[in-house]
Amino acid sequence: MHSFLRAYPTEAKLLAVLVLICIGLSIASPDFLTLVNFTSLLNNNAVNVIWAVGLLVVLIAGGIDISFAVAASVVQYLCVYAFAAIGGGNWAIGFLFAGGFGLALGLVNAFLIHQFRIVSIVVTISTFNAFFGLLMFFSSGRFLYNLPSWWSGRVILWEYQTANGTWAELILPVLVMAVCMAATWVLIRRTTTGRQLYAFGDNPEGARRAGIPIGLMQAIAFGWCGMMAGIAGLMQAHITKEVVPNALVGRELEVLAAVVLGGARLGGGRGSVLGCFLGVLLVAVTQNGLNLLGVSPYAFKMVVGVIILLAISTSNLDPARLFDPRKGRRA
Amino acid sequence: MPADAVAPDALRFSAISKIFGGVKAVDDVSFTVGTGEVHCLAGENGCGKSTLIKIITGVYQPEPGAAMEIFGQAYAQISPTQARKAGIAVIWQDLALFAEMTVAENIAFETILGNRPRAVSYARLRRVAAAALARLDVDLDLDARLGTLPIAQRQIVAIARALVSDARLIFMDEPTASLTESETDALLSVVRNLSARGVAVVFVSHRLAEVLEISSRVTVLRDGKLVGVFPTEGLTHSRLTELMTGTVISHDVMARDTGGRPEVLRIEGLTRAGEFEDISLTLRAGEVVGLTGLIGAGRTELCHSLFGMTRADRGRITLNGQDLQLRSNRDAVAAGIAYVSEDRLALGLIQPQSIADNTVLSVLRQISGAGGLLSSRKKDATVSHWIKKLAVKIGTPADAVSTLSGGNQQRIVLAKWLATRPKVLLLDCPTVGVDVGARAGIFRIVRQLAEQGLAILLVSDEVPEVFLNADRVLHMAGGRIAHEWDPRRTGLPEMEAAVYA
């Protein structure tokens, strides 16, 4: 426990806040602490978590990506036409195509950033606009409903009828989320490449001097983020059973906020999969709780803003400093 | 060096030259380091030290005709990879470490390199790191995040990292620039330790005292040429300065009797909890008062309070007989107090901006003309006045400050504050990172300013600096003023003994 607190101070803090909010909400609303509410929380946030772990890798490597949610929409359209072209497809081909298209879009970002030495926020704001413009132009804003049945058919992994007759269930995106989390964890914690990503984000010049290939690092970070975005796009269409060109625009900031809340540092070198997951959950639980309490959805946006400000302004605060005036002043 | 006579020299380079755009940065230099030797590479900024190191580590290729031998093996050409494989490591001044990663990962960084992804073994990382630290005889927490360690310990981490890559010859670029006296001692003992185990260390340092203390030989470069290789034994501080600068720098005590001059700044019983206590001192017009003591003695904190950046809990500050209430540093500037900060690079200058813009930063109001808009005529006049007066060597005032040498940057900081026409100048460690020749220039300016009637508080952790350049020397320890000395009566050894006790 002690070593966990020490290695993951932000995550521990986040977990504590999450638990407190859950306790508060379960007292305030009888509907909160129910199996149905819990499973739907997971179902509804799986897509965000998949995006979040992809974005996490970019943040760790010292970059930022604004384009991933729009990239997911592009992947959805490409997939619809690609599946039609090959005569239907199946889940295996679906993941391959969605991941592949997403990867390619991510590599576009990496190429621009590395080749022209442009900061990632500028590049991804441009690709955000370029991707979205192209998508609206070619799709003419049309919705697509004719998804292959394997794609739009609901895949229930586990279900359970509760005492009052409602069903608690877990759907495919939750499993995909778990796999994406595990894969990202292996990449960043257990492989040498992942540690190089941390090092590169932490001190790019030091990494370069140590012989870490910079271009490869950018390609892995943005490629991974793109791949996760593609998979998230596949899952989102699976849930909504339709493809809408402007459905995902705007989600990128919500995800970015959750990832930063989860302890990833804008500037690189810090962040964890667990933190990402907790960050997304904290935002979701807050929203869920306010819903159950009948608070206006507009209030939710405000609350999220406050949470993010608090999280960012206290993330570098060492509790020990609060009690040592001398150090506190210098912080 | 009583090393094994059969062992080949660690490094044997001769006839090394390097030409950049027609200028000989390094001109026919020979450089030899024995196995396990502690060698010092001395010279002023721009003398060719860094170019030479970059040639040795394969970053630059020398001009044809060079003979290069590393541990007995001759090379026609050296690449950075070859240099590393041959056992050469450089610890740069900025250390190139990873603040967010643990100590263990930083030390054993080598083990996570390579383009082919492999599984990370944290157990192996820790084992490798612990072994490297054991060789240095140092105990560090392997799981601590590097960013939480003080600079001195990060230095140890950088050295340990060099050992992991089997370095047998380590270059240290200004390793003690930001260390306190006791941290420097600890580093020097690590260096001795390395040397005893056959690892050669080349020190590149401005601080002459430690050069003389640690190394067995000194190679001196000047203007790209080899001045000579000298055994440290019998070499004095002043002789080494002469060799480096090619001129004789006066080592006379500059102190004068300033007792009869009018008081400018008077401090009585100034206290700020946890920082300094019951400080009383006076600064007279035209007087240079030295303030020395170990890092952490409260010197800088006192300056901050005198400059209005922090507020003292108790005590009085009077300027020209008037009580002074400093609520912010704007008040201090308005009252005529200027502060040249310790950390010139971070706090004193805006590096990417031009020399001109930096110079007038503190006097924007004075140089504005009609309607509050900046007058470029007034600005140019102010800039050229101070650049001439302080003899700053620049290309054009529009160049970025970052293009200047340390000594010239320091002059720009001075110019910025002198432009406010202060009555009191607080100089906090003005020579950190500035080489010997340029230091003499800075102290000449300090003297001139004093002669024009400015009251100057000269803070330095190098006792000889205040001994030579101040009219009176105050010694601060544990937040209090422990001694007041007159350099004409008290000798340097006595002062140093008291400060470093």
Side-chain angles (χ1 to χ4, degrees):
Chain A
M1 189 62 201
H2 175 74
S3 60
F4 174 81
L5 280 176
R6 193 162 156 215
Y8 301 99
T10 319
E11 288 81 351
K13 213 160 61 178
L14 208 53
L15 192 62
V17 173
L18 190 61
V19 168
L20 280 179
I21 292 182
C22 287
I23 292 172
L25 286 174
S26 49
I27 294 168
S29 161
D31 297 326
F32 181 77
L33 203 65
T34 59
L35 193 59
V36 177
N37 194 34
F38 178 71
T39 52
S40 68
L41 200 64
L42 282 180
N43 292 336
N44 295 340
N45 286 284
V47 171
N48 274 358
V49 172
I50 297 171
W51 270 325
V53 292
L55 181 61
L56 170 72
V57 178
V58 166
L59 286 183
I60 284 171
I64 194 168
D65 190 348
I66 306 295
S67 69
F68 63 87
V70 170
S73 285
V74 174
V75 169
Q76 290 176 340
Y77 268 80
L78 289 175
C79 278
V80 171
Y81 291 115
F83 297 153
I86 61 165
N90 55 40
W91 274 118
I93 291 174
F95 280 111
L96 201 67
F97 276 36
F101 290 140
L103 178 70
L105 293 174
L107 290 179
V108 169
N109 282 331
F111 174 79
L112 294 173
I113 290 163
H114 182 66
Q115 197 61 33
F116 303 110
R117 302 283 189 273
I118 314 174
V119 288
S120 54
I121 188 155
V122 174
V123 166
T124 57
I125 287 176
S126 333
T127 53
F128 163 88
N129 284 300
F131 291 165
F132 191 57
L134 285 171
L135 180 62
M136 293 306 278
F137 181 74
F138 283 106
S139 71
S140 318
R142 265 196 312 273
F143 291 20
L144 302 179
Y145 301 104
N146 53 339
L147 306 189
S149 57
W150 60 265
W151 192 1
S152 56
R154 199 171 170 78
V155 181
I156 294 171
L157 302 170
W158 174 87
E159 54 189 346
Y160 176 79
Q161 191 168 25
T162 54
N164 61 5
T166 52
W167 287 88
E169 57 182 19
L170 287 178
I171 53 175
L172 181 67
V174 176
L175 174 67
V176 175
M177 169 190 87
V179 172
C180 288
M181 283 173 66
T184 305
W185 180 79
V186 169
L187 172 72
I188 63 176
R189 291 296 307 175
R190 307 304 312 187
T191 70
T192 51
T193 311
R195 302 320 288 168
Q196 292 177 23
L197 283 170
Y198 273 95
F200 171 57
D202 193 347
N203 180 352
E205 177 57 23
R208 200 180 60 77
R209 277 192 219 157
I212 291 175
I214 304 305
L216 185 65
M217 290 297 113
Q218 302 280 25
I220 292 171
F222 284 90
W224 190 268
C225 183
M227 188 170 81
M228 289 297 144
I231 292 171
L234 189 76
M235 287 300 106
Q236 199 265 348
H238 168 67
I239 294 170
T240 57
K241 306 185 197 319
E242 61 180 10
V243 173
V244 177
N246 58 355
L248 304 179
V249 180
R251 297 276 290 274
E252 60 281 330
L253 294 183
E254 192 182 316
V255 174
L256 177 63
V259 176
V260 173
L261 186 61
R265 198 175 68 145
L266 295 169
R270 196 190 289 177
S272 71
V273 170
L274 177 65
C276 264
F277 181 68
L278 293 174
V280 173
L281 275 196
L282 184 59
V283 173
V285 164
T286 312
Q287 183 173 25
N288 181 239
L290 292 175
N291 252 332
L292 292 176
L293 296 174
V295 178
S296 148
Y298 298 114
F300 164 68
K301 292 256 175 212
M302 206 172 67
V303 171
V304 168
V306 172
I307 291 180
I308 292 162
L309 271 180
L310 280 178
I312 293 176
S313 55
T314 58
S315 66
N316 281 325
L317 198 67
D318 182 351
R321 291 195 167 183
L322 293 176
F323 304 102
D324 184 344
R326 208 175 152 170
K327 279 184 187 158
R329 261 201 307 275
R330 296 207 136 191
Chain B
M1 193 73 210
D4 195 350
V6 246
D9 280 329
L11 203 70
R12 192 172 266 286
F13 274 46
S14 53
I16 306 292
S17 297
K18 182 70 192 174
I19 302 175
F20 289 117
V23 181
K24 280 195 170 180
V26 173
D27 187 1
D28 192 24
V29 167
S30 303
F31 186 52
T32 304
V33 181
T35 300
E37 182 189 359
V38 179
H39 196 103
C40 178
L41 185 57
E44 297 205 286
N45 280 340
C47 71
K49 282 177 307 193
S50 338
T51 311
L52 183 61
I53 295 178
K54 284 183 176 160
I55 289 171
I56 293 168
T57 51
V59 178
Y60 296 151
Q61 294 305 321
E63 306 299 328
M68 303 183 280
E69 206 182 290
I70 303 171
F71 291 105
Q73 198 190 332
Y75 290 82
Q77 227 184 354
I78 302 175
S79 71
T81 323
Q82 278 173 322
R84 209 157 43 221
K85 285 209 175 113
I88 295 180
V90 185
I91 295 169
W92 301 102
Q93 205 174 344
D94 58 9
L95 301 177
L97 297 172
F98 304 99
E100 295 288 340
M101 301 175 97
T102 63
V103 168
E105 276 192 290
N106 270 286
I107 294 177
F109 196 70
E110 179 109 320
T111 63
I112 61 171
L113 286 176
N115 291 355
R116 187 185 300 244
R118 297 180 316 271
V120 186
S121 158
Y122 288 96
R124 174 151 171 263
L125 272 177
R126 294 175 53 96
R127 216 164 44 237
V128 170
L133 286 176
R135 280 178 69 188
L136 290 176
D137 228 349
V138 181
D139 200 21
L140 282 181
D141 179 359
L142 290 176
D143 298 318
R145 211 162 50 77
L146 185 89
T148 62
L149 302 187
I151 298 283
Q153 291 185 3
R154 293 188 209 181
Q155 200 113 45
I156 302 289
V157 169
I159 296 172
R161 181 162 128 190
L163 287 184
V164 168
S165 51
D166 282 325
R168 288 183 293 165
L169 172 58
I170 301 179
F171 285 85
M172 295 190 193
D173 184 18
E174 293 281 350
T176 57
S178 43
L179 303 192
T180 64
E181 199 76 15
S182 67
E183 287 169 338
T184 300
D185 286 345
L187 179 72
L188 294 187
S189 91
V190 165
V191 168
R192 282 193 199 95
N193 209 334
L194 286 173
S195 157
R197 287 160 191 259
V199 177
V201 177
V202 177
F203 251 58
V204 184
S205 181
H206 285 317
R207 287 202 190 174
L208 299 179
E210 69 206 24
V211 167
L212 293 172
E213 185 183 336
I214 187 93
S215 55
S216 54
R217 288 188 301 164
V218 184
T219 294
V220 181
L221 298 183
R222 187 168 70 227
D223 298 330
K225 294 193 187 67
L226 180 70
V227 175
V229 183
F230 308 91
T232 321
E233 223 177 277
L235 200 60
T236 60
H237 195 289
S238 53
R239 174 78 185 124
L240 187 53
T241 310
E242 263 174 60
L243 290 169
M244 284 164 64
T245 58
T247 52
V248 180
I249 288 175
S250 141
H251 280 87
D252 298 332
V253 169
M254 302 289 291
R256 301 146 308 163
D257 185 14
T258 50
R261 303 186 185 202
E263 263 179 32
V264 178
L265 186 76
R266 181 183 192 91
I267 305 165
E268 285 165 73
L270 208 65
T271 298
R272 183 170 157 86
E275 293 189 348
F276 49 84
E277 252 193 271
D278 198 20
I279 303 286
S280 298
L281 62 88
T282 53
L283 286 182
R284 296 168 193 279
E287 189 180 40
V288 181
V289 174
L291 181 64
T292 189
L294 300 176
I295 287 178
R299 305 165 315 184
T300 296
E301 289 78 1
L302 176 64
C303 287
H304 285 174
S305 282
L306 291 180
F307 193 52
M309 288 161 65
T310 56
R311 251 194 264 190
D313 304 328
R314 274 198 311 281
R316 272 178 71 189
I317 306 174
T318 47
L319 186 69
N320 287 336
Q322 303 216 311
D323 257 346
L324 210 55
Q325 295 296 331
L326 300 173
R327 284 180 305 273
S328 72
N329 48 2
R330 279 163 171 255
D331 287 358
V333 173
I337 298 175
Y339 173 52
V340 178
S341 64
E342 186 175 24
D343 191 349
R344 170 185 74 245
L345 303 178
L347 306 175
L349 289 172
I350 302 167
Q351 290 283 339
Q353 283 200 6
S354 71
I355 294 164
D357 286 345
N358 270 286
T359 309
V360 297
L361 195 61
S362 54
V363 288
L364 290 176
R365 189 163 297 169
Q366 282 94 312
I367 61 161
S368 49
L373 297 176
L374 292 183
S375 147
S376 59
R377 190 180 47 78
K378 284 188 190 169
K379 172 174 156 184
D380 294 346
T382 309
V383 172
S384 59
H385 171 78
W386 288 109
I387 284 174
K388 210 162 111 199
K389 185 154 183 192
L390 299 184
V392 193
K393 280 189 212 138
I394 62 162
T396 79
D399 292 345
V401 157
S402 54
T403 61
L404 298 180
S405 70
N408 282 312
Q409 288 193 6
Q410 190 65 280
R411 286 171 202 221
I412 295 293
V413 181
L414 270 176
K416 180 178 92 175
W417 287 113
L418 293 176
T420 65
R421 306 273 169 196
K423 301 182 190 85
V424 176
L425 180 63
L426 311 171
L427 279 173
D428 199 351
C429 298
T431 59
V432 169
V434 173
D435 56 34
V436 187
R439 285 178 186 202
I442 287 175
F443 288 125
R444 234 183 346 262
I445 293 170
V446 168
R447 222 359 99 180
Q448 280 170 13
L449 293 171
E451 264 148 32
Q452 290 161 20
L454 204 60
I456 298 172
L457 185 67
L458 172 67
V459 178
S460 175
D461 44 344
E462 292 188 40
V463 183
E465 277 189 6
V466 287
F467 170 72
L468 292 173
N469 296 293
D471 298 318
R472 280 185 294 138
V473 174
L474 301 175
H475 169 215
M476 208 164 161
R480 290 170 176 276
I481 293 193
H483 298 94
E484 175 167 353
W485 292 304
D486 181 342
R488 290 165 300 173
R489 295 204 186 81
T490 313
L492 181 60
E494 190 182 326
M495 288 190 194
E496 286 192 316
V499 172
Y500 298 137

